[in-house]
Amino acid sequence: IFGPSQGARTRGYFRRRHLQSTQTRLARQDGRLLTPEVVWFEMDLGLKNKVALVAASSRGLGRAVAEELAIEGANLILCARDAGQLEETADRIRSLTGMRVLSVGADVSLPGDVRRVVDSALSEFGNVDILVTNAGGPPAGRFEFLTRSNWESAVRLTLFSVVDLVRGVLPS
């Protein structure tokens, strides 16, 4: 319990309104702050009829990137380890966008699978304009519990998959 002479006001908690920016607070006071609404802008990114290869694209970030590329007009090559989930993703993107979508089940940590994905892409589309090197990461865990084998697998997946994919599509 602090009395006025003991700094009760200097030690009190800030109220929420004190943490707003001055500009926001003044705009609200003047009635100039409108209610927030979403504004959509259409932008042509120049991707119409480009060919994009998106790794690990059956779900998550890879799928989201693939969907947006197709919405922008790019044809797709999708690859992921789970061929069933991958085909569902490809079907959904085809139905939503009408773009050509090739799905290839593959593990990008295996050089032979990467070669197969790239060969399929080149035979279907002739070239690859956009490469999205997406992959999972090392297993979760504390450093001292991860084995050398865990680290080697992570390097194969996150580093060498990128090297192999870039080498494969670079000539096109």
Side-chain angles (χ1 to χ4, degrees), residues 8 13-14 20 31-32 37-38 41 53 55-56 60 63-64 78 84 91 96 110 115 124 131 133-134 141 151 157 171:
Y13 292 104
F14 286 106
Q20 292 178 346
R32 290 180 286 149
E37 59 185 58
V38 176
F41 296 98
L53 191 161
R63 179 179 177 155
L78 307 179
D91 288 341
L96 287 175
L110 303 173
R115 184 78 249 157
E124 179 76 19
L131 174 63
T133 58
N134 178 46
W151 285 105
L157 182 61

Side-chain angles (χ1 to χ4, degrees), residues 54 60-71 76 93 130 132 134:
V54 184
L61 182 61
R63 179 179 177 155
V65 169
E67 288 174 351
E68 291 300 319
L69 288 168
I71 288 168
L76 301 175
I93 292 172
I130 302 161
V132 180
N134 178 46

Side-chain angles (χ1 to χ4, degrees), residues 112-141:
D113 281 12
V114 171
R115 184 78 249 157
R116 191 168 43 80
V117 170
V118 170
D119 288 346
S120 298
L122 297 178
S123 69
E124 179 76 19
F125 296 104
N127 69 312
V128 174
D129 301 302
I130 302 161
L131 174 63
V132 180
T133 58
N134 178 46

Side-chain angles (χ1 to χ4, degrees), residues 8-75:
R9 293 187 181 186
T10 59
R11 292 185 187 171
Y13 292 104
F14 286 106
R15 290 184 300 209
R16 182 175 291 265
R17 69 178 177 82
H18 289 125
L19 300 177
Q20 292 178 346
S21 73
T22 303
Q23 185 178 18
T24 302
R25 193 171 12 154
L26 292 175
R28 184 169 287 128
Q29 287 172 355
D30 291 344
R32 290 180 286 149
L33 188 64
L34 302 175
T35 57
E37 59 185 58
V38 176
V39 178
W40 294 99
F41 296 98
E42 289 196 27
M43 182 184 303
D44 181 7
L45 299 177
L47 302 180
K48 187 137 182 80
N49 296 317
K50 298 288 185 184
V51 177
L53 191 161
V54 184
S57 50
S58 63
R59 62 177 185 240
L61 182 61
R63 179 179 177 155
V65 169
E67 288 174 351
E68 291 300 319
L69 288 168
I71 288 168
E72 289 295 324
N75 294 304

Side-chain angles (χ1 to χ4, degrees), residues 141-155:
R142 292 178 45 170
F143 179 83
E144 61 269 21
F145 298 124
L146 296 175
T147 65
R148 180 173 183 87
S149 176
N150 294 136
W151 285 105
E152 288 171 350
S153 295
V155 168

